[in-house]
Amino acid sequence: CRFWEYVLPGCDALGYIACTGTNVCLRARCLGQVGWFPMYCITEDYALSMELKMAGFMGKYLPEYLAVGEAPEEARAVMRQRSRWCKGHMQVFFSKRCPIIQGRLGLIHKILYTNGTWAYFATIFTSMTFTLVPFNSLVFGWHPVTFSSQFTIASTAYLVSDNTKS
């Protein structure tokens, strides 16, 4: 998964603490100092990451699998999980614990700890855009995006070669 291979190591290099669900190791002393697992939102792992950072703790991403977690297999269960993640990010974002207003977080960490929330807002905008562009193209003949044959061949070759790596 690209999240574990690229995103988390990159965030780690910026000092971001990431408690990502089932695969995290913590010292009990650190947990105790931040009030144990946060109860103010339904995504306690995300909230705990931020609480640990604000308390001055440092984390380290370890690129080894030390535990095995379960992921939902059915589409309905995946949607339920993603919905919970969205609700949890919104609970934090629209509360007094919003990373943007936390003085104990630097600018880069304010951005990183709100990244998930911004992604949900951006999805709303991009979904509307991706719906309107084909509509305008078909109905009004307005083509804001055009592709050359060279671009089509190059992008297809790239996507095919990238998918064979997985």
Side-chain angles (χ1 to χ4, degrees), residues 5-87:
E5 294 171 5
Y6 302 112
V7 175
L8 285 180
C11 288
D12 181 61
L14 296 170
Y16 178 83
I17 297 175
C19 300
T20 53
T22 60
N23 216 347
V24 63
C25 299
L26 301 166
R27 295 176 191 253
R29 179 182 58 81
C30 300
L31 274 175
Q33 283 187 257
V34 297
W36 303 100
F37 287 96
M39 303 294 284
Y40 58 85
C41 83
I42 60 175
T43 50
E44 72 289 337
D45 51 353
Y46 159 64
L48 178 61
S49 302
M50 190 176 65
E51 295 293 336
L52 289 166
K53 187 64 184 177
M54 288 191 303
F57 289 106
M58 293 178 62
K60 188 69 183 154
Y61 175 69
L62 182 63
E64 295 179 33
Y65 293 103
L66 302 175
V68 177
E70 290 185 16
E73 295 179 12
E74 298 173 0
R76 184 180 178 109
V78 170
M79 293 304 292
R80 201 173 313 129
Q81 179 188 51
R82 302 292 163 91
S83 174
R84 189 178 70 81
W85 291 350
C86 179
K87 289 173 189 167

Side-chain angles (χ1 to χ4, degrees), residues 34 38 40 46-47 50-51 54 91-102 104-105:
V34 297
Y40 58 85
Y46 159 64
M50 190 176 65
E51 295 293 336
M54 288 191 303
Q91 281 178 319
V92 173
F93 189 80
F94 291 107
S95 75
K96 65 181 180 179
R97 285 192 154 80
C98 177
I100 294 172
I101 60 174
Q102 299 302 321
R104 295 176 287 170
L105 292 174

Side-chain angles (χ1 to χ4, degrees), residues 117-140:
T117 310
W118 296 124
Y120 294 116
F121 290 129
T123 299
I124 294 167
F125 173 75
T126 56
S127 295
M128 288 188 302
T129 302
F130 291 154
T131 302
L132 291 175
V133 167
F135 175 80
N136 284 326
S137 182
L138 290 170
V139 174
F140 302 112

